[in-house]
Amino acid sequence: MKQALSLYELNHLVHDVIAIQLPDSIWVQAELSEYRENNGHCFMELIEKDNHLNTPIAKASAKCWRNRWVYIRAGFERITGMHLRAGMKIMLQVHAEFHENYGFSWMIDDIDPTFTLGDMARKRLEIIQVLKDEGVFDLQKQLVIPMFCQRIAVISSVHAAGYGDFCHQMQNNEYGLSFNIELFPAVMQGEQIEKSVIGALNLINERYEEFDVVVIIRGGGATSDMSGFDTLVLAENVANFPLPIITGIGHERDESVLDMISNTRVKTPTAAATFFIEHLAQVYNRVQNASDFIFSYVRERMTREKMRIQHLGGRIPLMFSLVKTSHLRKLDAIESKLNNQVGRLILQQFQYLDRLQMAMLPAIQRKLNKEQYRLQMIEQQVMLSDPTLLLKRGYSITLLNGKVVKDASCLHVGDEIITRVENGEIRSIVK
């Protein structure tokens, strides 16, 4: 009868060999092809791909029990600001373990987050270089945000707190400015970011003439997964979009590729709302200042023109009176002294001069009519600058004691203000 080991004895022998040959932990680089957690325990599938064919040449499983994994995962997320996900390059510290009942496993002792950050930074630089080679890296920067930027397409999660904060601040701004906001829902976390945001951009692109600008916003903590905003396909879509895109994705670490490629980057959804409010407030102030200047200039010009016309009108009768009096005196003297043919000829010439003087009156009257018409045109320009026209366009004017409020800091608690809109007035008490 042949000598044989029991299965337990064989597995125990393998256990001893592995314990002797691989007694220490080993650092290993790999790509995470699958990652899951079950009851707090971590289970990973690791692969290594051929650099040229991009096909797996090695595979292995690794795991970590809950009591250790909770600390390893927290440290990784705190430093990288990301969750572990499939496709991520990681550096693991593992040790070999062979259990007689459960078989062989690589047990995870630690993860180096700086390696993952370095790999992501390398990929980010590669994406940036591709965008520059394609000539699209600065395309968004060349777009100009419209002066009256009020029609805003928002890409965000429907239930995101950041979107709620953005809408609240836009609708309750201190200047009383109005905005038209339309949400295009998208997944803003995890592996679906790229596909979902591009889908929202495509919907907006079909109606791009209805909007002035696009804003991509999200809220989230420091451990939110931002890798979805660092993809080449998403960056290319944003770079080539026909409207300016502003990003406020709540990311306080290094800029994402999406931040770099967009027209303007702000840190948070609240900062995005502040950006739009301040932009329109500056335009409103420019319009108000221009309106004040036009009114002042037109009043001054009208006053000068009226004084000039009055001065000219006062001089004309006096001038004709003096000329006529002097001329009649000359005629009387000539008639008394000249009775011959030469005298009559001279008399005829003076009569001709009288007719010429009378013909001047219509010409002067036409000049007066022309000046009067010019005054009417100036008055029409003043009417076109009437603030009521701005009210019909959706703007409002806030008054305190009959004066326009240009600076909110001049208001005090208890002040009664009047907000004038197209159809009526709204009275408010400052709290």
Side-chain angles (χ1 to χ4, degrees):
M1 185 174 178
K2 295 181 178 180
Q3 189 73 23
L5 296 175
S6 69
L7 179 59
Y8 177 83
E9 291 174 333
L10 176 62
N11 285 350
H12 186 71
L13 178 61
V14 173
H15 173 273
D16 291 342
V17 171
I18 290 176
I20 295 172
Q21 296 297 322
L22 297 171
D24 301 320
S25 293
I26 303 169
W27 284 100
V28 59
Q29 301 176 14
E31 179 179 325
L32 189 57
S33 66
E34 184 180 336
Y35 167 78
R36 60 186 176 87
E37 291 187 16
N38 187 9
N39 293 327
H41 306 304
C42 167
F43 301 90
M44 296 182 181
E45 294 295 329
L46 307 174
I47 60 171
E48 181 180 350
K49 295 180 180 179
D50 183 274
N51 292 331
H52 302 289
L53 301 177
N54 200 35
T55 56
I57 59 175
K59 295 182 179 181
S61 299
K63 58 188 175 183
C64 187
W65 304 127
R66 177 173 51 199
N67 59 347
R68 185 170 185 81
W69 178 244
V70 63
Y71 299 105
I72 296 176
R73 183 186 64 184
F76 179 86
E77 292 179 351
R78 183 181 67 255
I79 295 175
T80 63
M82 297 175 294
H83 297 301
L84 286 161
R85 59 176 178 80
M88 183 178 288
K89 292 286 186 67
I90 58 176
M91 179 181 287
L92 299 152
Q93 186 182 35
V94 297
H95 69 270
E97 182 175 286
F98 189 88
H99 193 276
E100 290 81 353
N101 191 23
Y102 302 109
F104 180 82
S105 296
W106 289 109
M107 302 302 297
I108 302 171
D109 297 324
D110 202 358
I111 299 179
D112 183 1
T114 59
F115 174 83
T116 303
L117 286 175
D119 181 70
M120 294 190 65
R122 178 186 58 79
K123 290 181 179 178
R124 184 180 301 170
L125 291 175
E126 290 176 354
I127 293 173
I128 292 171
Q129 189 59 49
V130 171
L131 295 171
K132 290 182 177 180
D133 292 342
E134 293 176 350
V136 301
F137 187 80
D138 294 319
L139 284 183
Q140 270 285 316
K141 301 295 189 298
Q142 299 173 17
L143 298 178
V144 178
I145 297 175
M147 289 183 60
F148 294 93
C149 181
Q150 295 175 278
R151 304 176 303 167
I152 302 173
V154 179
I155 298 178
S156 179
S157 173
V158 177
H159 304 293
Y163 172 65
D165 294 340
F166 175 83
C167 291
H168 176 78
Q169 186 162 342
M170 293 285 279
Q171 295 168 358
N172 299 279
N173 64 86
E174 59 180 316
Y175 304 102
L177 302 173
S178 61
F179 297 89
N180 297 322
I181 301 171
E182 183 172 346
L183 174 65
F184 290 81
V187 176
M188 304 301 289
Q189 187 168 337
E191 298 179 10
Q192 298 299 315
I193 290 178
E194 177 185 278
K195 180 180 179 181
S196 185
V197 173
I198 291 175
L201 287 173
N202 289 338
L203 292 176
I204 298 171
N205 192 39
E206 294 175 357
R207 301 165 48 200
Y208 78 95
E209 293 182 349
E210 301 177 21
F211 303 100
D212 298 318
V213 72
V214 178
V215 59
I216 301 176
I217 55 175
R218 71 185 292 276
T223 59
S224 298
D225 188 358
M226 305 297 296
S227 60
F229 298 104
D230 282 333
T231 70
L232 177 61
V233 177
L234 178 57
E236 289 175 332
N237 274 266
V238 170
N240 290 283
F241 203 75
L243 295 176
I245 293 180
I246 284 78
T247 56
I249 56 179
H251 184 29
E252 297 184 358
R253 299 179 183 273
D254 294 337
E255 288 182 309
S256 66
V257 174
L258 189 66
D259 291 323
M260 297 177 187
I261 207 72
S262 64
N263 178 279
T264 304
R265 180 243 181 171
V266 295
K267 288 185 177 181
T268 63
T270 301
T274 300
F275 174 83
F276 290 120
I277 293 169
E278 293 299 328
H279 175 82
L280 191 57
Q282 291 175 6
V283 173
Y284 175 79
N285 288 334
R286 290 174 60 186
V287 172
Q288 188 65 43
N289 292 336
S291 177
D292 293 343
F293 173 78
I294 291 172
F295 273 103
S296 176
Y297 175 79
V298 170
R299 288 194 187 100
E300 182 181 351
R301 184 66 183 271
M302 289 178 63
T303 300
R304 291 202 310 266
E305 293 297 326
K306 286 182 179 179
M307 292 177 62
R308 189 170 70 88
I309 292 174
Q310 291 172 358
H311 179 68
L312 290 175
R315 291 181 59 187
I316 289 173
L318 178 61
M319 180 181 69
F320 275 98
S321 177
L322 293 174
V323 172
K324 186 174 182 180
T325 301
S326 176
H327 187 51
L328 289 175
R329 288 175 182 175
K330 291 180 181 179
L331 286 175
D332 292 340
I334 291 172
E335 286 180 348
S336 64
K337 293 180 180 180
L338 300 176
N339 294 317
N340 53 23
Q341 186 69 26
V342 176
R344 286 194 298 272
L345 181 61
I346 293 174
L347 182 60
Q348 290 175 359
Q349 294 299 318
F350 275 109
Q351 290 174 346
Y352 176 70
L353 182 60
D354 283 337
R355 290 193 297 272
L356 288 177
Q357 290 175 349
M358 294 302 295
M360 289 176 61
L361 288 173
I364 293 173
Q365 187 61 47
R366 286 194 298 272
K367 176 65 175 177
L368 290 174
N369 291 339
K370 183 179 179 181
E371 293 296 328
Q372 186 65 31
Y373 175 74
R374 193 157 67 89
L375 277 176
Q376 292 176 356
M377 294 301 294
I378 294 175
E379 289 174 351
Q380 289 180 5
Q381 292 178 3
V382 173
M383 292 177 63
L384 290 175
S385 301
D386 192 339
T388 57
L389 296 179
L390 292 176
L391 298 180
K392 292 181 179 180
R393 295 177 59 187
Y395 295 96
S396 64
I397 299 176
T398 301
L399 304 174
L400 174 63
N401 298 326
K403 296 182 179 180
V404 175
V405 177
K406 298 182 180 180
D407 186 354
S409 63
C410 69
L411 298 177
H412 304 285
V413 175
D415 286 347
E416 180 178 355
I417 58 175
I418 300 175
T419 302
R420 186 173 298 167
V421 295
E422 179 184 0
N423 297 314
E425 296 179 346
I426 303 169
R427 295 181 178 270
S428 309
I429 302 298
V430 177
K431 296 184 178 181

